[in-house]
Amino acid sequence: MIFEISRSKSIRNDLYKFWYRKNFSKCVDQCYFTCFRWPVIQQETLLSFDPKLMNLPLKNVRIGGYLQSYCYFAQIIDEIRQEFTFQDQVSAAAAKILHDVYIKYNSSMVVGVHARRGDFLEKSWQDLGFRIPQKSYFMKAFSLMKSKFPGRKIVFIVASNDYKWCRENLVSDDVILMQPETPAVHLAVLSRCEHVIMSCGTFGWWAAWLANGQVIYYTNFFGNGSLQQKVKVNQYYPPLWIGLDD
């Protein structure tokens, strides 16, 4: 064996890395080209539930589409929550952030807020019909959340890809920005909050779903463009989530 003739540990490691990269890459290439030949079953509607995908043929197939509907796993929610857990170091970092917020602000409830802007401000996304919430949406969402939990000292913690806008429009005595961290840690923090206010996009959607509390979402996300005709909103947002506009 090639590893047996290497007396130096560092040499063995280098040889192993070379062997692994070469053979793993070959395996991935073979798998890719094999899968590429499988027939495709295409999801018919965007961001909606396609029932035919729940009755797939007993052969190798590829599924095309976004599959962004809670209906696909509505019958196995507990299993999904069990599988979708964060790595230990991510969970630990998220737990520390939330612990510090509770202590620093003497809060009895932390509500996660996801404000996605950035790429959704680009013309290509706007042309598709995507819309992002204005300041007024978040103000209404903050007020509604407070009205649902009178007597609780709520702190809203914001994760975003546009901190400048959030700092100028959202930050107040009880609205704070999440400290810089990896997207994984930000997602973990939001998912650990008692409740979530989301703006738009799948990052906020999964944060809200994993948190499993009260969720407020932006109703005008899909706008009035051609995109709206391809989306069944009631299959994208779970029925107990609360929609608000600007």
Side-chain angles (χ1 to χ4, degrees):
M1 293 290 292
I2 190 170
F3 301 109
E4 294 174 352
I5 63 174
S6 301
R7 296 183 180 180
S8 165
K9 182 178 180 181
S10 61
I11 294 177
R12 285 201 304 273
N13 287 339
D14 290 342
L15 288 171
Y16 175 75
K17 290 175 183 177
F18 172 76
W19 178 90
Y20 180 82
R21 285 197 301 267
K22 181 178 178 182
N23 287 274
F24 180 73
S25 176
K26 184 187 298 183
C27 178
V28 170
D29 288 343
Q30 290 174 348
C31 180
Y32 174 79
F33 287 113
T34 298
C35 296
F36 192 73
R37 294 194 294 268
W38 295 350
V40 177
I41 298 179
Q42 186 68 38
Q43 181 183 13
E44 293 182 2
T45 53
L46 182 68
L47 305 182
S48 301
F49 177 65
D50 188 345
K52 77 170 182 291
L53 298 183
M54 305 300 289
N55 188 27
L56 298 173
L58 297 177
K59 63 179 181 179
N60 292 327
V61 296
R62 288 184 296 139
I63 298 175
Y66 288 95
L67 306 179
Q68 292 177 211
S69 171
Y70 71 93
C71 300
Y72 287 114
F73 52 87
Q75 304 302 317
I76 54 169
I77 286 177
D78 292 340
E79 294 176 52
I80 296 297
R81 292 192 187 283
Q82 185 176 357
E83 292 295 330
F84 283 21
T85 56
F86 294 92
Q87 294 178 350
D88 291 345
Q89 64 269 29
V90 173
S91 291
K96 183 180 186 307
I97 290 173
L98 282 175
H99 175 267
D100 292 346
V101 170
Y102 277 108
I103 298 300
K104 181 177 180 180
Y105 295 91
N106 192 29
S107 61
S108 62
M109 177 185 293
V110 177
V111 173
V113 181
H114 183 241
R116 180 173 174 179
R117 292 172 56 81
D119 54 336
F120 277 160
L121 293 171
E122 297 173 3
K123 187 177 183 300
S124 58
W125 289 100
Q126 295 286 306
D127 288 346
L128 286 173
F130 288 107
R131 298 291 181 266
I132 59 172
Q134 303 303 307
K135 176 181 178 179
S136 56
Y137 161 75
F138 292 101
M139 296 300 107
K140 288 167 66 174
F142 295 154
S143 295
L144 179 58
M145 196 65 79
K146 290 177 182 177
S147 71
K148 285 182 169 294
F149 303 99
R152 301 290 296 274
K153 187 175 182 181
I154 302 176
V155 171
F156 299 92
I157 184 168
V158 182
S160 178
N161 58 355
D162 191 345
Y163 274 116
K164 181 177 183 295
W165 185 88
C166 292
R167 189 173 292 108
E168 294 172 352
N169 292 276
L170 303 184
V171 170
S172 66
D173 291 341
D174 59 359
V175 181
I176 63 173
L177 298 181
M178 201 178 300
Q179 66 189 53
E181 256 295 354
T182 64
V185 171
H186 280 185
L187 182 62
V189 170
L190 292 173
S191 73
R192 282 173 168 262
C193 292
E194 293 184 62
H195 311 287
V196 170
I197 296 169
M198 61 171 288
S199 56
C200 44
T202 52
F203 189 96
W205 192 101
W206 278 106
W209 189 86
L210 290 170
N212 200 25
Q214 296 275 335
V215 177
I216 298 175
Y217 68 90
Y218 181 54
T219 56
N220 294 338
F221 173 38
F222 299 113
N224 296 314
S226 59
L227 178 69
Q228 191 181 52
Q229 309 303 318
K230 301 177 181 178
V231 176
K232 294 181 180 178
V233 175
N234 65 333
Q235 295 179 359
Y236 182 70
Y237 297 111
L240 295 181
W241 290 12
I242 303 166
L244 286 181
D245 58 17
D246 289 312

